[in-house]
């Protein structure tokens, strides 16, 4: 099939002058779908796991590619804006971990509820918000998704509850596991294991790094979190498990963050540049999907490049907006905190100003 495609485009290059018609004709020769082998998940307290093969349609593949590339480019733009001091304060980037948020969204329904911690930009995007709203939130502007008052860690969307600065604090997670199991809650607990907690490697911090078994009485899956198809299949499996009334399940997605923990961490004092380079060259989630799609004739290199160009443009436009949009006015400082409360003071602010709260 690949050979056939090459032959078709050779013929076309002789006759068709307009690139648009060339793309249109050539696209007819792409496969509609392809079957891929994916890595088997490690299982805890489960007899059977997610499938080890999956079908990817051309349409879904292109969608996932665009989404992952958008998240990657958005994070790189945020890095740049931060270094220019246009974004201030806390900022945690998720480049490298794109298969987690995009794969997760591909395996659940938009009506399902999602909550995450502070590395939230990717999830905010996959839950349906625009790059504009996210970057403008990071720059603290009025058009941001939390009206410029939340920033990197406090973003929300429909059925998405943030963006929270509080880490799933070690002790509390076990209490949550216990209650979820007792009450058979339809809840998927997810550990995005990017191998480091701030500057500490998992091996230095944990006597057992089998996080998928940490739920003890809760079944678990260890998933290749760099492969969007693995994440999608595991999520579908986990969601079906919950929906069937069996109670909670735990997923450990093995992934990697290219940036440091936050912008104040260069990310190279506790790991080597070679390690980061090795992950980038051998298991980058975007490259992995791209290779699969091109090698199985689901898309052409040129077509994916075109998507890259469109994504870059979208990011540039969003960054332009995020730097030109005005900041929220001072009198709005106290809005959206409590509903229908009397005016109140903000600690540390001018004591003569009384803020009112509206929602
Ligand atoms: C309850 C709570 N305790 C402590 C902190 C401070 N803190 C922020 S990030 C972090 C480490 C998080 O580790 P992990 O989620 O593995 O980190 P990452 O992969 O994002 O570096 C800690 C202790 C916090 N935000 N919340």
């Amino acid at each position: 099939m690949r050979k056939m495609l090459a032959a078709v485009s050779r013929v076309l290059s002789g006759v068709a002058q307009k690139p648009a018609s060339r793309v249109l004709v050539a696209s007819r020769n792409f496969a509609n779908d392809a079957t891929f082998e994916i890595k088997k998940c490690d299982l805890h307290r489960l007899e059977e796991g997610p499938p080890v093969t999956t079908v990817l349609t051309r349409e879904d593949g292109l969608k996932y590619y665009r989404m992952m590339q958008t998240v990657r480019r958005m994070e790189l733009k945020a890095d740049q804006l931060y270094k220019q001091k246009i974004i201030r304060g806390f900022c945690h980037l998720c480049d490298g971990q794109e298969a987690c948020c995009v794969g997760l969204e591909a395996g659940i329904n938009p009506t399902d509820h999602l909550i995450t911690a502070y590395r939230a930009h990717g999830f905010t995007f996959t839950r349906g918000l625009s790059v504009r709203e996210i970057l403008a939130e990071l720059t603290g502007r009025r058009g941001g998704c939390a009206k410029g008052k939340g920033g990197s860690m406090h973003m929300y969307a429909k059925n998405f509850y943030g963006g929270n600065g509080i880490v799933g604090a070690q002790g509390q997670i076990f209490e949550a596991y216990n209650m979820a199991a007792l009450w058979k809650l339809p809840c998927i607990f997810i550990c995005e294991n990017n191998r480091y907690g701030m500057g500490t490697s998992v091996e230095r911090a944990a006597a057992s790094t089998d996080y998928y078994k940490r739920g003890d009485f809760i079944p678990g899956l260890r998933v290749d979190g760099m492969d969007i198809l693995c994440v999608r299949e595991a999520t579908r499996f986990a969601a079906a498990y919950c929906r069937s009334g069996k109670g909670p399940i735990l997923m450990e997605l093995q992934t990697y963050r290219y940036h440091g923990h936050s912008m104040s961490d260069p990310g190279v004092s506790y790991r080597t540049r070679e390690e980061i380079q090795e992950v980038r060259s051998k298991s980058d989630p975007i490259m992995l999907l791209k290779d699969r799609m091109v090698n199985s004739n689901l898309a052409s290199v040129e077509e994916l490049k075109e998507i890259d160009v469109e994504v870059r443009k979208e990011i540039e436009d969003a960054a332009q907006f995020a730097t030109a949009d005005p900041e929220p006015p001072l009198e709005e400082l106290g809005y959206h905190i409590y509903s229908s409360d009397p005016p109140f003071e903000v600690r540390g602010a001018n004591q003569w100003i009384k803020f009112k709260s509206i929602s």
Side-chain angles (χ1 to χ4, degrees):
M1 197 61 183
R2 267 182 83 204
K3 272 190 198 140
M4 228 172 76
L5 183 72
V8 170
S9 46
R10 261 202 309 281
V11 173
L12 286 171
S13 64
V15 289
Q17 298 303 315
K18 288 185 193 153
S21 57
R22 210 163 44 226
V23 169
L24 192 71
V25 179
S27 71
R28 286 190 200 140
N29 294 292
F30 288 124
N32 281 333
D33 54 50
T35 303
F36 295 102
E37 285 185 12
I38 51 175
K39 197 171 154 197
K40 190 174 184 302
C41 295
D42 294 317
L43 308 179
H44 170 65
R45 284 184 187 263
L46 287 167
E47 306 254 296
E48 263 183 73
V52 289
T53 60
T54 186
V55 174
L56 176 66
T57 63
R58 170 175 149 78
E59 194 187 342
D60 280 347
L62 291 174
K63 186 170 84 182
Y64 302 156
Y65 180 83
R66 183 183 290 271
M67 288 180 88
M68 287 205 287
Q69 196 65 285
T70 305
V71 173
R72 171 76 50 94
R73 295 280 150 204
M74 177 173 77
E75 295 298 63
L76 296 181
K77 178 54 78 177
D79 176 70
Q80 192 187 343
L81 293 172
Y82 200 95
K83 286 174 178 152
Q84 291 169 347
K85 296 190 164 44
I86 298 171
I87 296 174
R88 315 294 289 257
F90 284 108
C91 185
H92 308 88
L93 305 177
C94 71
D95 48 322
Q97 302 187 196
E98 295 88 351
C100 298
C101 53
V102 179
L104 186 77
E105 191 61 40
I108 57 173
N109 302 325
T111 46
D112 291 327
H113 303 272
L114 185 73
I115 185 164
T116 190
Y118 46 80
R119 207 173 297 286
H121 309 167
F123 288 108
T124 311
F125 175 73
T126 53
R127 282 270 100 178
L129 293 196
S130 66
V131 179
R132 257 179 172 236
E133 290 167 291
I134 297 168
L135 287 185
E137 190 51 47
L138 291 175
T139 55
R141 307 304 170 98
R142 224 183 272 191
C145 54
K147 300 186 189 299
K149 294 186 283 181
S152 173
M153 296 194 287
H154 304 288
M155 297 182 177
Y156 313 92
K158 189 143 194 264
N159 297 327
F160 176 57
Y161 308 88
N164 292 280
I166 295 297
V167 171
Q170 283 73 13
Q172 279 91 330
I173 190 74
F174 295 110
E175 292 174 20
Y177 286 160
N178 184 50
M179 285 159 75
L182 280 175
W183 295 343
K184 278 197 179 299
L185 297 182
C187 170
I188 309 176
F189 290 97
I190 297 167
C191 165
E192 283 181 274
N193 177 6
N194 60 21
R195 298 201 219 164
Y196 297 91
M198 300 183 95
T200 308
S201 69
V202 289
E203 291 80 14
R204 282 182 62 209
S208 165
T209 56
D210 289 340
Y211 296 102
Y212 70 114
K213 295 183 181 170
R214 289 285 196 95
D216 185 4
F217 38 82
I218 295 180
L221 296 169
R222 181 155 60 191
V223 184
D224 180 354
M226 299 301 266
D227 178 355
I228 183 164
L229 299 183
C230 258
V231 177
R232 183 186 72 175
E233 290 314 309
T235 307
R236 282 179 178 164
F237 175 90
Y241 181 94
C242 286
R243 291 189 216 287
S244 72
K246 292 181 189 159
I249 189 165
L250 172 54
M251 283 205 301
E252 174 187 346
L253 307 179
Q254 292 195 304
T255 184
Y256 199 79
R257 62 167 147 76
Y258 292 155
H259 267 88
H261 163 78
S262 70
M263 294 307 293
S264 56
D265 166 23
V268 287
S269 57
Y270 49 87
R271 56 184 187 177
T272 60
R273 285 180 199 277
E274 288 71 36
E275 179 185 296
I276 306 168
Q277 201 42 46
E278 169 139 344
V279 178
R280 277 186 186 279
S281 61
K282 292 198 180 140
S283 41
D284 182 79
I286 301 178
M287 289 304 296
L288 196 67
L289 179 66
K290 180 179 178 178
D291 288 350
R292 274 190 172 144
M293 290 190 71
V294 171
N295 293 338
S296 55
N297 191 30
L298 286 175
S300 67
V301 173
E302 295 72 33
E303 189 180 20
L304 297 179
K305 264 195 197 134
E306 251 174 62
I307 294 180
D308 295 350
V309 171
E310 286 167 19
V311 167
R312 271 174 207 264
K313 179 158 186 336
E314 184 189 347
I315 304 293
E316 282 310 320
D317 289 351
Q320 182 66 30
F321 172 74
T323 42
D325 195 40
E327 291 178 357
L330 185 64
E331 63 270 19
E332 280 191 17
L333 189 63
Y335 286 13
H336 313 111
I337 295 178
Y338 299 108
S339 173
S340 315
D341 265 8
F344 61 97
E345 289 171 28
V346 174
R347 201 173 49 195
N350 182 338
Q351 59 181 314
W352 309 113
I353 300 179
K354 293 275 184 200
F355 292 93
K356 62 179 175 182
S357 177
I358 61 157
S359 49

